[in-house]
Amino acid sequence: MPGVDGSSGDLSSGPASLGSGDEGSGASLGSQSSLSLSHPPTERSKRSHMWQTTPVVDWSKEQVNQWLIVQGLEGCVGRFQEIGITGPRLLNLDVRDLKALGLAPDDKSKLKRKVKELRIAVEKERKQVEKEKKEREKLQKKAEKLAEKAEKKKK
């Protein structure tokens, strides 16, 4: 079954494959800029939640790491950074991938839960966007009919 980013979600070649696959759809929950740990503390605190303004499928590995920190999963950051986990790969992590990452059991279960919550939020937003699109199309058709009707009255 395809993952959220359109890939197969099969990461059976091991953790080395986890960092690839940045293609994605437009569901959102992310950031325009990434937090660099080289910034001074004052600038870091101003930018600490920048990952929240970009779609998850567009998250860089740095934005994934910011998200991990906010979720209280600081212990995963090093491994995710090493492998280069981006937003699309984060959304497609499965039980085998989590096992391959070699995370502590507590971190693994919390990460599994948080990724599930993220997937649900992405899907909810995708449905909302689709609903809004249909509503705009409906209003457009209504406006076209009214314009047509007004044109007929003129004649």
Side-chain angles (χ1 to χ4, degrees), residues 64-144:
V64 169
N65 291 338
Q66 291 173 18
W67 177 80
L68 288 168
I69 292 167
V70 171
Q71 302 308 315
L73 291 161
E74 297 86 358
C76 301
V77 171
R79 187 72 175 129
F80 274 57
Q81 184 69 30
E82 178 184 319
I83 295 170
I85 304 280
T86 58
R89 281 290 162 235
L90 177 66
L91 291 171
N92 284 311
L93 289 177
D94 62 17
V95 175
R96 287 182 314 214
D97 301 323
L98 294 175
K99 191 174 185 179
L101 286 168
L103 303 174
D106 289 346
D107 284 347
K108 194 183 324 181
S109 63
K110 186 173 184 180
L111 180 61
K112 186 177 173 182
R113 187 176 70 252
K114 293 295 184 178
V115 168
K116 182 179 180 181
E117 290 171 6
L118 200 55
R119 286 181 188 134
I120 290 168
V122 166
E123 182 61 19
K124 184 177 179 181
E125 179 144 348
R126 185 196 64 76
K127 287 179 179 179
Q128 180 64 31
V129 167
E130 185 64 29
K131 181 180 176 182
E132 289 170 0
K133 180 183 173 189
K134 285 181 181 179
E135 186 62 31
R136 281 191 307 274
E137 288 171 355
K138 184 178 172 181
L139 289 172
Q140 180 67 30
K141 284 181 182 180
K142 188 175 181 179
E144 288 171 1

